[in-house]
Amino acid sequence: MADSIVTSSNSSTSSLNPTRIICHVCQKQFSQYTCPRCNSRYCSLQCYKSHSLRCTESFMKENVVQELHQMQPDEQTKNKMLDILKRFHSQEEMDENYSTLSEETMENFLSGQEISFDDLSLEEKKRFHRAIAYGELSKMIKPWDPWWSKPSARNICLSKEGTQLVQPLPDQELLDDDIGSDEFSKVPLGPETPLPPLSRLSSKEPSPLLTVHLVDILYSYCFTLRLYNGDWRSDALGSVMVVLSVSSVLGQGAQPETVLEALSHCLEQVCCPAYRHIGGLQFGLGVIDDVISLLGLGTPALVCALCDMHRWIQEGEKEAKSERPRKSQRGGTRSAIKLAERKIYFIMCWVREQPEEVWSSLAAIARAEKTSAMEFQQSNRSEDLNNKAEAKGKSLIQEI
Protein backbone atom coordinates (compact mmCIF):
# COMPACT_ATOMS: atom_id res chain seq x y z
CA MET A 1 0.00 0.00 0.00
CA ALA A 2 1.49 3.37 -1.01
CA ASP A 3 2.36 5.89 1.67
CA SER A 4 0.34 9.10 1.85
CA ILE A 5 2.28 12.30 1.26
CA VAL A 6 0.95 15.48 2.84
CA THR A 7 2.28 18.99 3.10
CA SER A 8 0.69 19.83 6.43
CA SER A 9 0.47 17.99 9.71
CA ASN A 10 -3.22 18.98 9.83
CA SER A 11 -4.05 17.16 6.59
CA SER A 12 -6.60 14.38 7.01
CA THR A 13 -5.49 10.96 5.83
CA SER A 14 -6.73 7.48 6.44
CA SER A 15 -5.54 6.01 9.73
CA LEU A 16 -4.55 2.87 7.82
CA ASN A 17 -2.01 4.71 5.66
CA PRO A 18 1.26 5.95 7.15
CA THR A 19 1.66 9.69 6.52
CA ARG A 20 4.83 11.36 5.30
CA ILE A 21 4.85 15.12 5.76
CA ILE A 22 6.81 17.40 3.46
CA CYS A 23 9.31 19.79 5.10
CA HIS A 24 7.54 23.08 5.83
CA VAL A 25 10.71 25.07 5.00
CA CYS A 26 12.21 23.76 1.75
CA GLN A 27 9.06 21.97 0.52
CA LYS A 28 11.33 19.38 -1.14
CA GLN A 29 12.32 16.68 1.36
CA PHE A 30 10.24 14.62 3.75
CA SER A 31 10.26 16.04 7.28
CA GLN A 32 12.01 14.04 9.98
CA TYR A 33 11.87 16.41 12.93
CA THR A 34 9.47 18.74 14.73
CA CYS A 35 10.37 22.07 16.30
CA PRO A 36 9.54 21.79 20.04
CA ARG A 37 8.45 25.43 20.14
CA CYS A 38 6.22 25.97 17.11
CA ASN A 39 5.65 22.32 16.04
CA SER A 40 6.84 23.15 12.54
CA ARG A 41 8.06 20.13 10.59
CA TYR A 42 11.55 20.28 9.04
CA CYS A 43 14.02 17.90 7.38
CA SER A 44 17.51 19.12 8.31
CA LEU A 45 19.58 21.41 10.52
CA GLN A 46 19.73 24.01 7.75
CA CYS A 47 15.95 24.13 7.50
CA TYR A 48 15.66 24.37 11.29
CA LYS A 49 17.99 27.37 11.36
CA SER A 50 16.00 29.17 8.70
CA HIS A 51 12.44 28.19 9.66
CA SER A 52 12.02 30.78 12.46
CA LEU A 53 14.45 33.31 13.85
CA ARG A 54 12.36 33.55 17.01
CA CYS A 55 12.69 29.82 17.73
CA THR A 56 16.45 29.61 17.09
CA GLU A 57 17.22 32.75 19.09
CA SER A 58 15.17 31.58 22.06
CA PHE A 59 16.91 28.20 21.89
CA MET A 60 20.36 29.84 22.01
CA LYS A 61 19.22 32.19 24.77
CA GLU A 62 18.01 29.32 26.97
CA ASN A 63 21.30 27.47 26.46
CA VAL A 64 23.35 30.52 27.45
CA VAL A 65 21.20 31.23 30.51
CA GLN A 66 21.36 27.60 31.60
CA GLU A 67 25.13 27.56 31.21
CA LEU A 68 25.46 30.78 33.22
CA HIS A 69 23.36 29.32 36.04
CA GLN A 70 25.51 26.17 36.15
CA MET A 71 28.81 28.01 36.28
CA GLN A 72 30.46 28.19 39.71
CA PRO A 73 33.36 30.61 39.14
CA ASP A 74 36.31 30.75 41.50
CA GLU A 75 37.98 33.96 42.62
CA GLN A 76 40.48 33.92 39.76
CA THR A 77 37.72 33.52 37.16
CA LYS A 78 35.76 36.38 38.73
CA ASN A 79 38.80 38.66 38.57
CA LYS A 80 39.39 37.77 34.91
CA MET A 81 35.77 38.52 34.04
CA LEU A 82 35.91 41.77 35.98
CA ASP A 83 38.99 42.80 34.01
CA ILE A 84 37.23 41.97 30.73
CA LEU A 85 34.17 43.99 31.72
CA LYS A 86 36.35 46.95 32.71
CA ARG A 87 38.00 46.96 29.28
CA PHE A 88 34.61 46.49 27.64
CA HIS A 89 33.17 49.43 29.56
CA SER A 90 36.19 51.62 28.73
CA GLN A 91 35.77 50.94 25.03
CA GLU A 92 32.04 51.59 25.19
CA GLU A 93 32.68 55.00 26.76
CA MET A 94 34.59 55.92 23.60
CA ASP A 95 31.87 54.50 21.38
CA GLU A 96 28.95 56.61 20.23
CA ASN A 97 26.65 53.58 20.31
CA TYR A 98 24.67 52.55 23.35
CA SER A 99 26.31 50.73 26.24
CA THR A 100 25.52 47.06 26.80
CA LEU A 101 25.45 47.48 30.59
CA SER A 102 23.94 50.41 32.43
CA GLU A 103 26.08 52.87 34.36
CA GLU A 104 24.64 51.61 37.65
CA THR A 105 25.51 48.00 36.84
CA MET A 106 29.06 48.89 35.81
CA GLU A 107 29.56 50.90 39.00
CA ASN A 108 28.52 47.86 41.01
CA PHE A 109 30.95 45.70 39.02
CA LEU A 110 33.83 48.14 39.42
CA SER A 111 33.19 48.42 43.16
CA GLY A 112 33.71 44.66 43.47
CA GLN A 113 30.10 43.61 44.04
CA GLU A 114 29.11 40.17 42.79
CA ILE A 115 26.36 40.46 40.18
CA SER A 116 24.62 37.51 38.54
CA PHE A 117 22.84 37.37 35.21
CA ASP A 118 19.48 37.60 37.02
CA ASP A 119 20.47 41.00 38.43
CA LEU A 120 20.51 42.53 34.94
CA SER A 121 17.51 44.38 33.63
CA LEU A 122 15.51 43.00 30.70
CA GLU A 123 17.14 45.49 28.33
CA GLU A 124 20.62 44.65 29.65
CA LYS A 125 19.97 40.95 29.14
CA LYS A 126 18.92 41.58 25.54
CA ARG A 127 22.03 43.64 24.87
CA PHE A 128 24.23 41.04 26.57
CA HIS A 129 22.83 38.27 24.35
CA ARG A 130 23.29 40.49 21.31
CA ALA A 131 26.92 41.15 22.29
CA ILE A 132 27.53 37.40 22.57
CA ALA A 133 25.85 36.67 19.23
CA TYR A 134 27.91 39.27 17.36
CA GLY A 135 31.21 38.43 19.06
CA GLU A 136 31.57 41.81 20.74
CA LEU A 137 32.64 40.35 24.08
CA SER A 138 35.33 38.18 22.48
CA LYS A 139 37.06 41.33 21.25
CA MET A 140 37.59 42.32 24.87
CA ILE A 141 39.60 39.17 25.66
CA LYS A 142 43.32 39.87 25.59
CA PRO A 143 45.07 37.61 23.04
CA TRP A 144 47.33 35.04 24.63
CA ASP A 145 51.07 35.55 24.33
CA PRO A 146 52.71 32.09 23.92
CA TRP A 147 55.36 31.21 26.47
CA TRP A 148 57.76 30.09 23.75
CA SER A 149 57.90 33.67 22.44
CA LYS A 150 59.20 34.95 25.78
CA PRO A 151 62.92 35.67 26.27
CA SER A 152 62.81 33.51 29.41
CA ALA A 153 62.05 30.47 27.21
CA ARG A 154 65.62 30.68 25.89
CA ASN A 155 67.05 30.21 29.38
CA ILE A 156 65.40 26.99 30.59
CA CYS A 157 67.69 24.87 32.76
CA LEU A 158 67.13 21.12 33.09
CA SER A 159 69.34 18.46 34.65
CA LYS A 160 70.84 15.59 32.66
CA GLU A 161 67.89 13.48 33.79
CA GLY A 162 65.44 16.10 32.48
CA THR A 163 64.26 17.46 35.84
CA GLN A 164 63.80 21.16 36.55
CA LEU A 165 66.81 22.97 37.97
CA VAL A 166 66.76 26.16 40.00
CA GLN A 167 66.56 28.99 37.49
CA PRO A 168 69.35 31.61 37.51
CA LEU A 169 68.49 35.16 38.54
CA PRO A 170 66.92 36.86 35.52
CA ASP A 171 68.43 39.94 33.91
CA GLN A 172 66.38 43.13 33.54
CA GLU A 173 64.97 42.11 30.14
CA LEU A 174 63.67 38.80 31.45
CA LEU A 175 62.36 40.48 34.61
CA ASP A 176 60.40 43.06 32.59
CA ASP A 177 59.15 40.27 30.37
CA ASP A 178 57.76 38.24 33.29
CA ILE A 179 56.13 41.24 35.00
CA GLY A 180 53.74 41.67 32.08
CA SER A 181 52.96 37.97 31.81
CA ASP A 182 49.97 36.13 33.18
CA GLU A 183 50.26 32.62 34.55
CA PHE A 184 49.32 31.04 31.22
CA SER A 185 52.24 32.73 29.45
CA LYS A 186 54.90 31.50 31.89
CA VAL A 187 57.26 28.74 30.83
CA PRO A 188 55.81 25.41 32.04
CA LEU A 189 57.88 23.49 34.56
CA GLY A 190 59.87 20.48 33.50
CA PRO A 191 59.47 16.94 34.91
CA GLU A 192 59.43 16.60 38.68
CA THR A 193 61.08 13.18 38.59
CA PRO A 194 64.06 12.01 36.49
CA LEU A 195 63.18 10.74 33.02
CA PRO A 196 64.27 7.12 32.50
CA PRO A 197 66.53 6.15 29.60
CA LEU A 198 64.77 4.76 26.53
CA SER A 199 66.43 1.39 27.06
CA ARG A 200 64.32 0.96 30.20
CA LEU A 201 61.09 1.78 28.36
CA SER A 202 61.63 -0.42 25.31
CA SER A 203 64.08 -3.10 24.25
CA LYS A 204 63.70 -2.06 20.59
CA GLU A 205 65.53 0.73 18.84
CA PRO A 206 63.38 3.88 18.62
CA SER A 207 61.75 4.46 15.26
CA PRO A 208 63.51 6.95 12.92
CA LEU A 209 60.06 8.43 12.30
CA LEU A 210 59.84 9.86 15.82
CA THR A 211 61.05 13.23 14.52
CA VAL A 212 58.02 13.34 12.22
CA HIS A 213 55.72 12.24 15.03
CA LEU A 214 57.13 15.01 17.23
CA VAL A 215 56.10 17.62 14.66
CA ASP A 216 52.57 16.19 14.66
CA ILE A 217 52.35 16.24 18.47
CA LEU A 218 53.83 19.73 18.82
CA TYR A 219 51.38 21.06 16.24
CA SER A 220 48.40 19.71 18.19
CA TYR A 221 49.90 21.19 21.40
CA CYS A 222 50.36 24.68 19.93
CA PHE A 223 46.99 24.67 18.15
CA THR A 224 45.09 23.64 21.29
CA LEU A 225 46.78 26.31 23.42
CA ARG A 226 45.95 28.91 20.77
CA LEU A 227 42.36 27.67 20.68
CA TYR A 228 41.99 27.95 24.47
CA ASN A 229 43.91 31.23 24.65
CA GLY A 230 46.53 29.48 26.78
CA ASP A 231 44.07 28.35 29.46
CA TRP A 232 43.68 24.61 28.88
CA ARG A 233 42.78 24.17 32.57
CA SER A 234 39.39 25.77 31.93
CA ASP A 235 38.38 22.58 30.08
CA ALA A 236 41.04 19.89 30.49
CA LEU A 237 38.98 17.10 28.92
CA GLY A 238 37.83 19.30 26.05
CA SER A 239 41.40 20.38 25.29
CA VAL A 240 42.53 16.75 25.30
CA MET A 241 39.81 15.86 22.80
CA VAL A 242 41.03 18.69 20.55
CA VAL A 243 44.57 17.26 20.72
CA LEU A 244 43.31 13.79 19.78
CA SER A 245 41.32 15.19 16.86
CA VAL A 246 44.21 17.22 15.41
CA SER A 247 47.09 14.78 16.01
CA SER A 248 46.98 11.67 13.83
CA VAL A 249 49.72 10.09 15.96
CA LEU A 250 47.89 10.51 19.28
CA GLY A 251 44.29 10.29 18.08
CA GLN A 252 44.44 7.65 15.38
CA GLY A 253 47.66 5.78 16.06
CA ALA A 254 48.89 6.83 12.61
CA GLN A 255 52.52 6.61 11.52
CA PRO A 256 53.21 9.56 9.20
CA GLU A 257 56.49 9.06 7.35
CA THR A 258 57.26 12.65 6.32
CA VAL A 259 56.87 16.10 7.85
CA LEU A 260 54.70 17.00 4.85
CA GLU A 261 52.33 14.12 5.62
CA ALA A 262 52.13 15.06 9.30
CA LEU A 263 51.49 18.76 8.66
CA SER A 264 49.01 18.05 5.85
CA HIS A 265 46.82 16.02 8.20
CA CYS A 266 47.00 18.71 10.90
CA LEU A 267 46.08 21.46 8.43
CA GLU A 268 43.23 19.34 7.12
CA GLN A 269 41.82 19.02 10.64
CA VAL A 270 42.24 22.73 11.37
CA CYS A 271 40.28 23.57 8.20
CA CYS A 272 37.42 21.18 9.02
CA PRO A 273 34.03 22.71 9.99
CA ALA A 274 34.68 22.21 13.73
CA TYR A 275 37.65 24.62 13.76
CA ARG A 276 37.26 26.62 10.55
CA HIS A 277 35.82 29.61 12.43
CA ILE A 278 39.14 30.14 14.20
CA GLY A 279 40.89 31.27 11.04
CA GLY A 280 41.06 28.38 8.61
CA LEU A 281 44.19 27.71 6.58
CA GLN A 282 45.91 31.00 7.40
CA PHE A 283 45.62 30.30 11.11
CA GLY A 284 46.80 26.72 10.56
CA LEU A 285 49.88 27.89 8.70
CA GLY A 286 50.60 30.30 11.55
CA VAL A 287 50.66 27.40 14.02
CA ILE A 288 53.53 25.90 12.00
CA ASP A 289 55.53 28.99 13.01
CA ASP A 290 54.81 28.09 16.64
CA VAL A 291 56.19 24.59 16.05
CA ILE A 292 59.29 26.06 14.37
CA SER A 293 59.80 28.43 17.33
CA LEU A 294 59.59 25.57 19.81
CA LEU A 295 62.08 23.48 17.82
CA GLY A 296 64.42 26.45 17.66
CA LEU A 297 64.51 26.69 21.47
CA GLY A 298 66.09 23.25 21.74
CA THR A 299 65.78 20.26 24.03
CA PRO A 300 64.90 22.00 27.36
CA ALA A 301 61.92 23.85 25.85
CA LEU A 302 60.71 20.74 24.01
CA VAL A 303 60.86 18.68 27.21
CA CYS A 304 58.91 21.38 29.09
CA ALA A 305 56.29 21.56 26.32
CA LEU A 306 55.81 17.79 26.30
CA CYS A 307 55.73 17.73 30.10
CA ASP A 308 53.05 20.44 30.07
CA MET A 309 51.10 18.41 27.53
CA HIS A 310 51.53 15.26 29.63
CA ARG A 311 50.10 17.06 32.67
CA TRP A 312 46.99 18.24 30.89
CA ILE A 313 46.46 14.78 29.35
CA GLN A 314 46.47 13.43 32.92
CA GLU A 315 43.98 16.11 34.03
CA GLY A 316 41.74 15.25 31.09
CA GLU A 317 41.90 11.60 32.06
CA LYS A 318 40.76 12.48 35.60
CA GLU A 319 37.79 14.43 34.22
CA ALA A 320 36.90 11.54 31.91
CA LYS A 321 36.86 9.19 34.90
CA SER A 322 34.63 11.53 36.91
CA GLU A 323 32.06 11.86 34.12
CA ARG A 324 29.35 9.25 33.54
CA PRO A 325 28.62 9.01 29.82
CA ARG A 326 27.53 5.82 28.05
CA LYS A 327 29.73 2.87 28.98
CA SER A 328 31.04 2.32 25.46
CA GLN A 329 31.99 5.99 25.03
CA ARG A 330 33.64 6.15 28.44
CA GLY A 331 35.80 3.10 27.75
CA GLY A 332 36.84 4.27 24.28
CA THR A 333 37.70 7.82 25.37
CA ARG A 334 39.63 6.78 28.45
CA SER A 335 41.67 4.17 26.57
CA ALA A 336 42.52 6.69 23.83
CA ILE A 337 43.61 9.26 26.43
CA LYS A 338 45.70 6.68 28.31
CA LEU A 339 47.46 5.62 25.12
CA ALA A 340 48.16 9.26 24.23
CA GLU A 341 49.62 9.83 27.69
CA ARG A 342 52.05 6.93 27.24
CA LYS A 343 53.12 8.11 23.78
CA ILE A 344 53.83 11.62 25.01
CA TYR A 345 55.89 10.33 27.93
CA PHE A 346 57.89 8.03 25.64
CA ILE A 347 58.64 10.78 23.11
CA MET A 348 59.57 13.16 25.96
CA CYS A 349 62.19 10.64 27.12
CA TRP A 350 63.35 10.25 23.51
CA VAL A 351 63.69 14.03 23.02
CA ARG A 352 65.97 14.31 26.06
CA GLU A 353 68.51 11.94 24.48
CA GLN A 354 68.71 13.61 21.06
CA PRO A 355 71.53 15.98 19.99
CA GLU A 356 70.60 19.65 19.62
CA GLU A 357 71.36 19.76 15.87
CA VAL A 358 68.38 17.47 15.23
CA TRP A 359 65.96 20.26 16.13
CA SER A 360 67.49 22.91 13.86
CA SER A 361 67.30 20.48 10.93
CA LEU A 362 63.72 19.56 11.75
CA ALA A 363 62.77 23.25 12.05
CA ALA A 364 64.29 23.89 8.60
CA ILE A 365 62.21 21.08 7.10
CA ALA A 366 59.01 22.39 8.71
CA ARG A 367 59.79 25.91 7.45
CA ALA A 368 60.35 24.61 3.93
CA GLU A 369 57.06 22.68 4.00
CA LYS A 370 55.20 25.78 5.16
CA THR A 371 56.72 27.84 2.35
CA SER A 372 55.75 25.16 -0.14
CA ALA A 373 52.18 25.07 1.21
CA MET A 374 51.88 28.86 0.95
CA GLU A 375 53.16 28.83 -2.64
CA PHE A 376 50.72 26.06 -3.50
CA GLN A 377 47.89 28.02 -1.91
CA GLN A 378 48.87 31.15 -3.85
CA SER A 379 49.03 29.26 -7.15
CA ASN A 380 45.61 27.70 -6.50
CA ARG A 381 44.17 31.11 -5.71
CA SER A 382 45.57 32.54 -8.95
CA GLU A 383 44.23 29.56 -10.89
CA ASP A 384 40.78 30.02 -9.36
CA LEU A 385 40.78 33.69 -10.32
CA ASN A 386 41.80 32.81 -13.87
CA ASN A 387 39.08 30.15 -14.09
CA LYS A 388 36.48 32.61 -12.84
CA ALA A 389 37.63 35.20 -15.36
CA GLU A 390 37.47 32.67 -18.20
CA ALA A 391 34.04 31.47 -17.09
CA LYS A 392 32.82 35.05 -16.94
CA GLY A 393 34.14 35.71 -20.44
CA LYS A 394 32.51 32.58 -21.86
CA SER A 395 29.17 33.40 -20.31
CA LEU A 396 29.37 36.91 -21.72
CA ILE A 397 30.02 35.54 -25.23
CA GLN A 398 27.14 33.11 -24.89
CA GLU A 399 24.79 35.89 -23.79
CA ILE A 400 25.81 38.06 -26.76
Side-chain angles (χ1 to χ4, degrees), residues 237 317-331 333-334:
L237 181 56
E317 186 179 12
K318 291 179 182 178
E319 286 192 12
K321 288 180 179 179
S322 64
E323 289 188 350
R324 296 185 177 275
R326 290 196 297 261
K327 186 175 182 180
S328 59
Q329 286 185 344
R330 180 174 69 242
T333 300
R334 286 172 57 182

Side-chain angles (χ1 to χ4, degrees), residues 59-71:
F59 176 74
M60 292 298 295
K61 177 180 177 181
E62 288 180 7
N63 282 342
V64 172
V65 172
Q66 183 178 5
E67 185 68 22
L68 288 172
H69 281 307
Q70 291 177 353
M71 290 176 63

Side-chain angles (χ1 to χ4, degrees), residues 68 85 134 224 362 382:
L68 288 172
L85 288 170
Y134 287 95
T224 305
L362 192 56
S382 300

